[in-house]
Amino acid sequence: MNLLKEKVMTEGIVLSDQVLKVDSFLNHQMDPVLMREVGAEFARLYAGEKITKVLTIESSGIAPAIMTALELDVPMIFARKHKSLTLRDDILVEKVYSFTKRETNEITVSKKFLNKDDRVLIIDDFLANGEAAFGLARVVEQAGASVVGIGIVIEKSFQPGARLLEEAGYRVDSLVRIASLENGTVTFV
């Protein structure tokens, strides 16, 4: 996606060889035009797959996921990182480690929103080690539903997430793949 690559090049800030900050357009302030294009691209990639739900994790995955769900004309669900007083029983729970935040969260989804007939597209903002994607896939599988694919806005290809997910049998589609962040420079695959 050229628009996304341009945003990464012009607004992304390389904080280290491992961390790219994209808070001006993706995970703090969001560019709605870019998010619309991201949703349209994921919908194009998964056209004909009979997706019934889009699933993400709060909060950075919500914008690309909702735009994808809008394009696919299906509901979007987000896994909560913090337990809600209204979400106590009949929940699906998984532990997910965040590389960026260096913490483990218990993510939860109400069982009433996923069932064995669902064909789920997982969407997330970043893919590094694959922890969030694997956690979301386990939630889908707990419900007896099928993971059709995993759509990633920005993949850090120098980290093992995509390879590990593909080796586990998941389809992974990343809109932008970064080969390196060395020397403060973004290099695309």
Side-chain angles (χ1 to χ4, degrees):
M1 274 195 68
N2 289 333
L3 179 59
L4 181 56
K5 278 185 177 180
E6 287 173 26
K7 283 285 195 181
V8 169
M9 292 305 292
T10 60
E11 296 181 36
I13 300 168
V14 178
L15 296 179
S16 73
D17 289 354
Q18 302 290 309
V19 180
L20 174 66
K21 186 176 181 179
V22 291
D23 66 344
S24 68
F25 62 91
L26 180 59
N27 56 20
H28 192 58
Q29 173 174 272
M30 294 174 206
D31 180 331
V33 173
L34 176 63
M35 291 303 102
R36 182 179 58 215
E37 294 301 316
V38 163
E41 183 62 11
F42 283 132
R44 186 190 67 75
L45 288 168
Y46 287 90
E49 291 291 342
K50 298 181 176 132
I51 305 292
T52 62
K53 303 273 173 71
V54 172
L55 175 66
T56 193
I57 193 167
E58 70 175 342
S59 65
S60 299
I62 292 175
I66 194 69
M67 297 310 274
T68 302
L70 180 65
E71 290 290 327
L72 292 170
D73 195 25
V74 299
M76 186 275 288
I77 306 162
F78 67 88
R80 294 176 180 259
K81 290 181 185 174
H82 304 285
K83 289 203 171 135
S84 166
L85 292 175
T86 63
L87 190 63
R88 296 178 137 175
D89 301 320
D90 294 326
I91 56 174
L92 304 162
V93 180
E94 276 297 329
K95 288 187 189 298
V96 173
Y97 178 75
S98 169
F99 171 81
T100 311
K101 294 183 177 124
R102 301 190 191 284
E103 66 184 22
T104 299
N105 289 297
E106 263 194 3
I107 61 169
T108 59
V109 172
S110 174
K111 287 181 181 179
K112 73 180 177 181
F113 297 129
L114 283 174
N115 65 64
K116 64 179 180 57
D117 298 321
D118 280 320
R119 295 179 50 78
V120 180
L121 174 59
I122 293 169
I123 298 290
D124 207 2
D125 62 336
F126 267 97
L127 176 59
N129 296 307
E131 294 288 332
F134 273 117
L136 290 168
R138 289 189 303 268
V139 165
V140 171
E141 290 158 1
Q142 275 185 49
S146 302
V147 176
V148 175
I150 299 170
I152 302 297
V153 179
I154 300 172
E155 174 191 326
K156 294 191 281 183
S157 299
F158 55 90
Q159 291 178 297
R163 179 182 52 79
L164 294 172
L165 289 164
E166 288 167 349
E167 286 174 358
Y170 297 108
R171 173 183 169 182
V172 178
D173 290 285
S174 301
L175 301 185
V176 167
R177 297 178 65 219
I178 295 174
S180 169
L181 296 172
E182 291 179 10
N183 302 316
T185 304
V186 175
T187 306
F188 296 105
V189 172

